[in-house]
Structures are given as structure tokens and as C-alpha cells.
Amino acid sequence: MAANGSASIGQTPKPLSPVALCHVVLRTTPDGFENLVNFYLTLLGAKITHKSHRLAFLSYDYEHHRLAVVADPTSHKRKPEGPQVGLHHVAFGFETLSDLATAYEERKALGIVPVWCVNHGMSTSMYYEDPDGNEIEFQVDNYDTVQEAVDFMASKDFEENPVGVDFNADDFVRRVRSGEDEKKIKARPNIGRRDKK
């Protein structure tokens, strides 16, 4: 790579980097849920922006959430099979849907494709898995302000479906590249109740 950060002749150009690390989600057992939520409320001086029987979203700054805790009835502690208690995924943010589309195209060209694409309502997200099975989320916020996102998370729609609506990555890129209004692409359809992936 050249000193200015551009690729030298014969080298692959550097893919577009995320602009931020947005939040961390931890998986725990249902019996450990309240204890873990309370621990992070205290540790981070956080507040709850949404909580249900199996999900809690916590924030300690200007974001709608920096940490979430998921009570996963299929998880267990320190056994070799099934989901483990611990880190669920780490999220990285991009400024625009065009940036998210570019990031997808660049990684797809390198053989790295998302395992799940979903409009959560407050964000449009693509999830990837590393070789160990850890999830990494690339996201764009769907609202212009954090307060709008927090208001959405307090809505009946989000209470009914805190997970989101799946989408096809290639269809998403086509819509973005066609010039379709970003607000229309970011608008989450109402599919009714959903509380798991």
C-alpha cells in the first residue's frame, strides 16, 4: 500500500471501512438475564431504552443502545454444543445506505457474504460470521435522530417485533443503486409478531 493509503500497482484496494463501533449484544441464559442486565446498568451507568421478557436494550450516551442482552433459552454455560453464554455480536456503523451497499459489494467480491440481512426498524443491518462463528453486524441508522429511534423502540410495532424484517442483500443494493428514496428503503414493513431470528 502506498504511503497515502491508496493501493500500489498490483495490490487489491482497501475496502471501505466502517465509521463506528455501535453496540455489543450479549447472550445469556433466561435465569441469568436479570442479573446480567442489572450488572451492566450499574457498570455502565446505563438506562434501559427497551426491555421485554427476552431482550433488553441499554444506552449510556447519545445512541439508542450501546449494549443489549438476549435471554436465549437454547444457550447454556460452557458446554461444547449450542450457543454459548457470552458475546452475541459486535456492530459497526456506516453513514449511508450507499456505503452499506458498497461494503457489501466489496466483501462479496472477496467471498465474504452476510448470513442475515434485516431491517430492525431503527437500523438496516447485514450480519456476517467470522471463522469461529462470531457475528459481526454492519448497519446504517434508519432515523435522522437518536430520539426518533428511541421513540420507535418505545412503539407498539417494536414491542410486537423487536427483531425486524429480513431482506435480500442483492435486492437491497439494486434499490439503493436505482436512486430509490432512502426513507422508503429504510421504512420497515409491518409483518406482525416476531421475537426471534
PDB file of all heavy atoms in Angstrom, residues 41-67:
ATOM      1  N   LEU A  41     -26.318  -2.230  33.796  1.00  0.00           N
ATOM      2  CA  LEU A  41     -26.910  -0.941  34.173  1.00  0.00           C
ATOM      3  C   LEU A  41     -26.005  -0.232  35.177  1.00  0.00           C
ATOM      4  O   LEU A  41     -25.745   0.969  35.068  1.00  0.00           O
ATOM      5  CB  LEU A  41     -28.307  -1.145  34.775  1.00  0.00           C
ATOM      6  CG  LEU A  41     -29.431  -1.472  33.796  1.00  0.00           C
ATOM      7  CD1 LEU A  41     -30.692  -1.869  34.559  1.00  0.00           C
ATOM      8  CD2 LEU A  41     -29.712  -0.295  32.871  1.00  0.00           C
ATOM      9  N   THR A  42     -25.498  -1.007  36.131  1.00  0.00           N
ATOM     10  CA  THR A  42     -24.622  -0.444  37.155  1.00  0.00           C
ATOM     11  C   THR A  42     -23.241  -0.141  36.586  1.00  0.00           C
ATOM     12  O   THR A  42     -22.705   0.959  36.759  1.00  0.00           O
ATOM     13  CB  THR A  42     -24.502  -1.420  38.334  1.00  0.00           C
ATOM     14  OG1 THR A  42     -25.811  -1.661  38.859  1.00  0.00           O
ATOM     15  CG2 THR A  42     -23.595  -0.881  39.423  1.00  0.00           C
ATOM     16  N   LEU A  43     -22.650  -1.103  35.921  1.00  0.00           N
ATOM     17  CA  LEU A  43     -21.288  -0.955  35.395  1.00  0.00           C
ATOM     18  C   LEU A  43     -21.162   0.246  34.468  1.00  0.00           C
ATOM     19  O   LEU A  43     -20.202   1.018  34.551  1.00  0.00           O
ATOM     20  CB  LEU A  43     -20.866  -2.228  34.647  1.00  0.00           C
ATOM     21  CG  LEU A  43     -19.456  -2.209  34.049  1.00  0.00           C
ATOM     22  CD1 LEU A  43     -18.415  -2.263  35.158  1.00  0.00           C
ATOM     23  CD2 LEU A  43     -19.278  -3.362  33.075  1.00  0.00           C
ATOM     24  N   LEU A  44     -22.129   0.428  33.579  1.00  0.00           N
ATOM     25  CA  LEU A  44     -22.048   1.473  32.561  1.00  0.00           C
ATOM     26  C   LEU A  44     -22.792   2.749  32.939  1.00  0.00           C
ATOM     27  O   LEU A  44     -22.741   3.728  32.190  1.00  0.00           O
ATOM     28  CB  LEU A  44     -22.604   0.948  31.229  1.00  0.00           C
ATOM     29  CG  LEU A  44     -21.903  -0.286  30.652  1.00  0.00           C
ATOM     30  CD1 LEU A  44     -22.635  -0.772  29.412  1.00  0.00           C
ATOM     31  CD2 LEU A  44     -20.441   0.012  30.352  1.00  0.00           C
ATOM     32  N   GLY A  45     -23.500   2.731  34.064  1.00  0.00           N
ATOM     33  CA  GLY A  45     -24.342   3.874  34.382  1.00  0.00           C
ATOM     34  C   GLY A  45     -25.378   4.073  33.294  1.00  0.00           C
ATOM     35  O   GLY A  45     -25.689   5.195  32.893  1.00  0.00           O
ATOM     36  N   ALA A  46     -25.923   2.964  32.813  1.00  0.00           N
ATOM     37  CA  ALA A  46     -26.806   2.963  31.642  1.00  0.00           C
ATOM     38  C   ALA A  46     -28.271   3.105  32.037  1.00  0.00           C
ATOM     39  O   ALA A  46     -28.629   3.035  33.213  1.00  0.00           O
ATOM     40  CB  ALA A  46     -26.608   1.665  30.853  1.00  0.00           C
ATOM     41  N   LYS A  47     -29.093   3.301  31.018  1.00  0.00           N
ATOM     42  CA  LYS A  47     -30.548   3.308  31.186  1.00  0.00           C
ATOM     43  C   LYS A  47     -31.124   2.315  30.177  1.00  0.00           C
ATOM     44  O   LYS A  47     -30.501   2.005  29.155  1.00  0.00           O
ATOM     45  CB  LYS A  47     -31.129   4.705  30.957  1.00  0.00           C
ATOM     46  CG  LYS A  47     -30.918   5.204  29.541  1.00  0.00           C
ATOM     47  CD  LYS A  47     -31.438   6.609  29.347  1.00  0.00           C
ATOM     48  CE  LYS A  47     -31.139   7.030  27.908  1.00  0.00           C
ATOM     49  NZ  LYS A  47     -31.293   8.423  27.669  1.00  0.00           N
ATOM     50  N   ILE A  48     -32.307   1.813  30.459  1.00  0.00           N
ATOM     51  CA  ILE A  48     -32.986   0.884  29.558  1.00  0.00           C
ATOM     52  C   ILE A  48     -33.806   1.690  28.552  1.00  0.00           C
ATOM     53  O   ILE A  48     -34.601   2.538  28.939  1.00  0.00           O
ATOM     54  CB  ILE A  48     -33.888  -0.084  30.340  1.00  0.00           C
ATOM     55  CG1 ILE A  48     -33.022  -1.019  31.194  1.00  0.00           C
ATOM     56  CG2 ILE A  48     -34.789  -0.879  29.407  1.00  0.00           C
ATOM     57  CD1 ILE A  48     -33.800  -1.917  32.125  1.00  0.00           C
ATOM     58  N   THR A  49     -33.594   1.414  27.251  1.00  0.00           N
ATOM     59  CA  THR A  49     -34.415   2.062  26.221  1.00  0.00           C
ATOM     60  C   THR A  49     -35.522   1.142  25.723  1.00  0.00           C
ATOM     61  O   THR A  49     -36.487   1.609  25.139  1.00  0.00           O
ATOM     62  CB  THR A  49     -33.556   2.551  25.032  1.00  0.00           C
ATOM     63  OG1 THR A  49     -32.838   1.441  24.484  1.00  0.00           O
ATOM     64  CG2 THR A  49     -32.580   3.633  25.476  1.00  0.00           C
ATOM     65  N   HIS A  50     -35.376  -0.174  25.943  1.00  0.00           N
ATOM     66  CA  HIS A  50     -36.443  -1.144  25.664  1.00  0.00           C
ATOM     67  C   HIS A  50     -36.118  -2.419  26.422  1.00  0.00           C
ATOM     68  O   HIS A  50     -34.971  -2.838  26.484  1.00  0.00           O
ATOM     69  CB  HIS A  50     -36.554  -1.468  24.168  1.00  0.00           C
ATOM     70  CG  HIS A  50     -37.561  -2.543  23.894  1.00  0.00           C
ATOM     71  ND1 HIS A  50     -38.915  -2.313  23.850  1.00  0.00           N
ATOM     72  CD2 HIS A  50     -37.414  -3.880  23.681  1.00  0.00           C
ATOM     73  CE1 HIS A  50     -39.560  -3.442  23.614  1.00  0.00           C
ATOM     74  NE2 HIS A  50     -38.669  -4.411  23.510  1.00  0.00           N
ATOM     75  N   LYS A  51     -37.156  -3.034  26.982  1.00  0.00           N
ATOM     76  CA  LYS A  51     -36.958  -4.312  27.670  1.00  0.00           C
ATOM     77  C   LYS A  51     -38.201  -5.162  27.513  1.00  0.00           C
ATOM     78  O   LYS A  51     -39.319  -4.677  27.639  1.00  0.00           O
ATOM     79  CB  LYS A  51     -36.661  -4.090  29.158  1.00  0.00           C
ATOM     80  CG  LYS A  51     -36.277  -5.369  29.882  1.00  0.00           C
ATOM     81  CD  LYS A  51     -35.879  -5.088  31.317  1.00  0.00           C
ATOM     82  CE  LYS A  51     -35.529  -6.378  32.019  1.00  0.00           C
ATOM     83  NZ  LYS A  51     -35.526  -6.199  33.474  1.00  0.00           N
ATOM     84  N   SER A  52     -37.969  -6.453  27.222  1.00  0.00           N
ATOM     85  CA  SER A  52     -39.049  -7.435  27.166  1.00  0.00           C
ATOM     86  C   SER A  52     -38.614  -8.642  27.989  1.00  0.00           C
ATOM     87  O   SER A  52     -37.606  -8.593  28.669  1.00  0.00           O
ATOM     88  CB  SER A  52     -39.332  -7.844  25.710  1.00  0.00           C
ATOM     89  OG  SER A  52     -38.262  -8.642  25.210  1.00  0.00           O
ATOM     90  N   HIS A  53     -39.368  -9.741  27.876  1.00  0.00           N
ATOM     91  CA  HIS A  53     -39.033 -10.945  28.633  1.00  0.00           C
ATOM     92  C   HIS A  53     -37.726 -11.589  28.178  1.00  0.00           C
ATOM     93  O   HIS A  53     -37.145 -12.370  28.907  1.00  0.00           O
ATOM     94  CB  HIS A  53     -40.169 -11.964  28.523  1.00  0.00           C
ATOM     95  CG  HIS A  53     -40.346 -12.526  27.140  1.00  0.00           C
ATOM     96  ND1 HIS A  53     -40.889 -11.786  26.102  1.00  0.00           N
ATOM     97  CD2 HIS A  53     -40.023 -13.730  26.626  1.00  0.00           C
ATOM     98  CE1 HIS A  53     -40.896 -12.530  25.003  1.00  0.00           C
ATOM     99  NE2 HIS A  53     -40.388 -13.708  25.294  1.00  0.00           N
ATOM    100  N   ARG A  54     -37.248 -11.241  26.968  1.00  0.00           N
ATOM    101  CA  ARG A  54     -36.030 -11.882  26.477  1.00  0.00           C
ATOM    102  C   ARG A  54     -35.015 -10.929  25.876  1.00  0.00           C
ATOM    103  O   ARG A  54     -33.947 -11.353  25.441  1.00  0.00           O
ATOM    104  CB  ARG A  54     -36.374 -12.986  25.482  1.00  0.00           C
ATOM    105  CG  ARG A  54     -37.024 -12.531  24.191  1.00  0.00           C
ATOM    106  CD  ARG A  54     -37.287 -13.675  23.227  1.00  0.00           C
ATOM    107  NE  ARG A  54     -36.129 -14.478  22.931  1.00  0.00           N
ATOM    108  CZ  ARG A  54     -35.300 -14.239  21.922  1.00  0.00           C
ATOM    109  NH1 ARG A  54     -35.488 -13.234  21.122  1.00  0.00           N
ATOM    110  NH2 ARG A  54     -34.256 -15.031  21.715  1.00  0.00           N
ATOM    111  N   LEU A  55     -35.316  -9.637  25.838  1.00  0.00           N
ATOM    112  CA  LEU A  55     -34.395  -8.649  25.264  1.00  0.00           C
ATOM    113  C   LEU A  55     -34.349  -7.406  26.132  1.00  0.00           C
ATOM    114  O   LEU A  55     -35.393  -6.940  26.598  1.00  0.00           O
ATOM    115  CB  LEU A  55     -34.864  -8.216  23.871  1.00  0.00           C
ATOM    116  CG  LEU A  55     -34.826  -9.234  22.747  1.00  0.00           C
ATOM    117  CD1 LEU A  55     -35.627  -8.717  21.562  1.00  0.00           C
ATOM    118  CD2 LEU A  55     -33.400  -9.501  22.329  1.00  0.00           C
ATOM    119  N   ALA A  56     -33.154  -6.870  26.326  1.00  0.00           N
ATOM    120  CA  ALA A  56     -33.008  -5.574  26.994  1.00  0.00           C
ATOM    121  C   ALA A  56     -32.007  -4.750  26.197  1.00  0.00           C
ATOM    122  O   ALA A  56     -30.939  -5.247  25.819  1.00  0.00           O
ATOM    123  CB  ALA A  56     -32.526  -5.747  28.421  1.00  0.00           C
ATOM    124  N   PHE A  57     -32.370  -3.507  25.895  1.00  0.00           N
ATOM    125  CA  PHE A  57     -31.503  -2.580  25.174  1.00  0.00           C
ATOM    126  C   PHE A  57     -31.091  -1.481  26.149  1.00  0.00           C
ATOM    127  O   PHE A  57     -31.947  -0.852  26.767  1.00  0.00           O
ATOM    128  CB  PHE A  57     -32.236  -1.972  23.979  1.00  0.00           C
ATOM    129  CG  PHE A  57     -32.569  -2.975  22.914  1.00  0.00           C
ATOM    130  CD1 PHE A  57     -33.751  -3.699  22.963  1.00  0.00           C
ATOM    131  CD2 PHE A  57     -31.708  -3.191  21.850  1.00  0.00           C
ATOM    132  CE1 PHE A  57     -34.066  -4.627  21.979  1.00  0.00           C
ATOM    133  CE2 PHE A  57     -32.011  -4.116  20.862  1.00  0.00           C
ATOM    134  CZ  PHE A  57     -33.191  -4.834  20.923  1.00  0.00           C
ATOM    135  N   LEU A  58     -29.783  -1.253  26.277  1.00  0.00           N
ATOM    136  CA  LEU A  58     -29.249  -0.287  27.226  1.00  0.00           C
ATOM    137  C   LEU A  58     -28.442   0.782  26.498  1.00  0.00           C
ATOM    138  O   LEU A  58     -27.755   0.484  25.521  1.00  0.00           O
ATOM    139  CB  LEU A  58     -28.324  -0.973  28.247  1.00  0.00           C
ATOM    140  CG  LEU A  58     -28.943  -1.845  29.325  1.00  0.00           C
ATOM    141  CD1 LEU A  58     -29.606  -3.080  28.757  1.00  0.00           C
ATOM    142  CD2 LEU A  58     -27.887  -2.262  30.328  1.00  0.00           C
ATOM    143  N   SER A  59     -28.534   2.000  27.002  1.00  0.00           N
ATOM    144  CA  SER A  59     -27.749   3.103  26.456  1.00  0.00           C
ATOM    145  C   SER A  59     -27.137   3.902  27.588  1.00  0.00           C
ATOM    146  O   SER A  59     -27.730   4.027  28.658  1.00  0.00           O
ATOM    147  CB  SER A  59     -28.629   4.016  25.600  1.00  0.00           C
ATOM    148  OG  SER A  59     -27.859   5.085  25.086  1.00  0.00           O
ATOM    149  N   TYR A  60     -25.954   4.445  27.348  1.00  0.00           N
ATOM    150  CA  TYR A  60     -25.307   5.305  28.330  1.00  0.00           C
ATOM    151  C   TYR A  60     -24.886   6.642  27.721  1.00  0.00           C
ATOM    152  O   TYR A  60     -24.247   7.456  28.382  1.00  0.00           O
ATOM    153  CB  TYR A  60     -24.089   4.613  28.961  1.00  0.00           C
ATOM    154  CG  TYR A  60     -23.069   4.149  27.950  1.00  0.00           C
ATOM    155  CD1 TYR A  60     -22.095   5.013  27.462  1.00  0.00           C
ATOM    156  CD2 TYR A  60     -23.080   2.846  27.478  1.00  0.00           C
ATOM    157  CE1 TYR A  60     -21.169   4.594  26.531  1.00  0.00           C
ATOM    158  CE2 TYR A  60     -22.163   2.417  26.546  1.00  0.00           C
ATOM    159  CZ  TYR A  60     -21.200   3.292  26.077  1.00  0.00           C
ATOM    160  OH  TYR A  60     -20.293   2.870  25.143  1.00  0.00           O
ATOM    161  N   ASP A  61     -25.258   6.863  26.445  1.00  0.00           N
ATOM    162  CA  ASP A  61     -24.875   8.107  25.784  1.00  0.00           C
ATOM    163  C   ASP A  61     -25.938   8.486  24.764  1.00  0.00           C
ATOM    164  O   ASP A  61     -27.111   8.222  24.978  1.00  0.00           O
ATOM    165  CB  ASP A  61     -23.488   7.985  25.150  1.00  0.00           C
ATOM    166  CG  ASP A  61     -23.409   6.903  24.070  1.00  0.00           C
ATOM    167  OD1 ASP A  61     -24.441   6.279  23.739  1.00  0.00           O
ATOM    168  OD2 ASP A  61     -22.318   6.671  23.555  1.00  0.00           O
ATOM    169  N   TYR A  62     -25.547   9.067  23.662  1.00  0.00           N
ATOM    170  CA  TYR A  62     -26.473   9.581  22.652  1.00  0.00           C
ATOM    171  C   TYR A  62     -27.065   8.507  21.747  1.00  0.00           C
ATOM    172  O   TYR A  62     -27.943   8.807  20.952  1.00  0.00           O
ATOM    173  CB  TYR A  62     -25.750  10.636  21.792  1.00  0.00           C
ATOM    174  CG  TYR A  62     -24.463  10.115  21.188  1.00  0.00           C
ATOM    175  CD1 TYR A  62     -24.467   9.412  19.988  1.00  0.00           C
ATOM    176  CD2 TYR A  62     -23.239  10.304  21.835  1.00  0.00           C
ATOM    177  CE1 TYR A  62     -23.293   8.918  19.457  1.00  0.00           C
ATOM    178  CE2 TYR A  62     -22.069   9.811  21.306  1.00  0.00           C
ATOM    179  CZ  TYR A  62     -22.090   9.121  20.117  1.00  0.00           C
ATOM    180  OH  TYR A  62     -20.939   8.629  19.591  1.00  0.00           O
ATOM    181  N   GLU A  63     -26.605   7.265  21.829  1.00  0.00           N
ATOM    182  CA  GLU A  63     -27.119   6.194  20.970  1.00  0.00           C
ATOM    183  C   GLU A  63     -28.399   5.584  21.548  1.00  0.00           C
ATOM    184  O   GLU A  63     -28.616   5.605  22.754  1.00  0.00           O
ATOM    185  CB  GLU A  63     -26.078   5.082  20.821  1.00  0.00           C
ATOM    186  CG  GLU A  63     -24.998   5.398  19.819  1.00  0.00           C
ATOM    187  CD  GLU A  63     -25.508   5.434  18.388  1.00  0.00           C
ATOM    188  OE1 GLU A  63     -26.418   4.669  18.026  1.00  0.00           O
ATOM    189  OE2 GLU A  63     -24.976   6.257  17.625  1.00  0.00           O
ATOM    190  N   HIS A  64     -29.230   4.990  20.659  1.00  0.00           N
ATOM    191  CA  HIS A  64     -30.451   4.319  21.121  1.00  0.00           C
ATOM    192  C   HIS A  64     -30.128   3.084  21.940  1.00  0.00           C
ATOM    193  O   HIS A  64     -30.878   2.695  22.817  1.00  0.00           O
ATOM    194  CB  HIS A  64     -31.405   3.984  19.970  1.00  0.00           C
ATOM    195  CG  HIS A  64     -30.743   3.429  18.755  1.00  0.00           C
ATOM    196  ND1 HIS A  64     -30.363   2.117  18.642  1.00  0.00           N
ATOM    197  CD2 HIS A  64     -30.402   4.028  17.587  1.00  0.00           C
ATOM    198  CE1 HIS A  64     -29.815   1.913  17.455  1.00  0.00           C
ATOM    199  NE2 HIS A  64     -29.823   3.062  16.793  1.00  0.00           N
ATOM    200  N   HIS A  65     -28.984   2.430  21.661  1.00  0.00           N
ATOM    201  CA  HIS A  65     -28.454   1.395  22.544  1.00  0.00           C
ATOM    202  C   HIS A  65     -26.992   1.149  22.228  1.00  0.00           C
ATOM    203  O   HIS A  65     -26.573   1.232  21.083  1.00  0.00           O
ATOM    204  CB  HIS A  65     -29.273   0.101  22.502  1.00  0.00           C
ATOM    205  CG  HIS A  65     -29.211  -0.689  21.238  1.00  0.00           C
ATOM    206  ND1 HIS A  65     -29.804  -0.292  20.061  1.00  0.00           N
ATOM    207  CD2 HIS A  65     -28.632  -1.885  20.978  1.00  0.00           C
ATOM    208  CE1 HIS A  65     -29.597  -1.212  19.135  1.00  0.00           C
ATOM    209  NE2 HIS A  65     -28.882  -2.177  19.657  1.00  0.00           N
ATOM    210  N   ARG A  66     -26.219   0.907  23.278  1.00  0.00           N
ATOM    211  CA  ARG A  66     -24.802   0.543  23.152  1.00  0.00           C
ATOM    212  C   ARG A  66     -24.591  -0.919  23.515  1.00  0.00           C
ATOM    213  O   ARG A  66     -23.601  -1.519  23.121  1.00  0.00           O
ATOM    214  CB  ARG A  66     -23.934   1.396  24.067  1.00  0.00           C
ATOM    215  CG  ARG A  66     -23.757   2.807  23.615  1.00  0.00           C
ATOM    216  CD  ARG A  66     -22.868   2.881  22.404  1.00  0.00           C
ATOM    217  NE  ARG A  66     -22.590   4.258  22.053  1.00  0.00           N
ATOM    218  CZ  ARG A  66     -21.984   4.614  20.944  1.00  0.00           C
ATOM    219  NH1 ARG A  66     -21.595   3.710  20.086  1.00  0.00           N
ATOM    220  NH2 ARG A  66     -21.779   5.872  20.696  1.00  0.00           N
ATOM    221  N   LEU A  67     -25.518  -1.467  24.299  1.00  0.00           N
ATOM    222  CA  LEU A  67     -25.420  -2.845  24.746  1.00  0.00           C
ATOM    223  C   LEU A  67     -26.816  -3.437  24.778  1.00  0.00           C
ATOM    224  O   LEU A  67     -27.770  -2.750  25.145  1.00  0.00           O
ATOM    225  CB  LEU A  67     -24.813  -2.910  26.158  1.00  0.00           C
ATOM    226  CG  LEU A  67     -24.695  -4.300  26.771  1.00  0.00           C
ATOM    227  CD1 LEU A  67     -23.439  -4.989  26.268  1.00  0.00           C
ATOM    228  CD2 LEU A  67     -24.665  -4.229  28.278  1.00  0.00           C
TER     229      LEU A  67
END
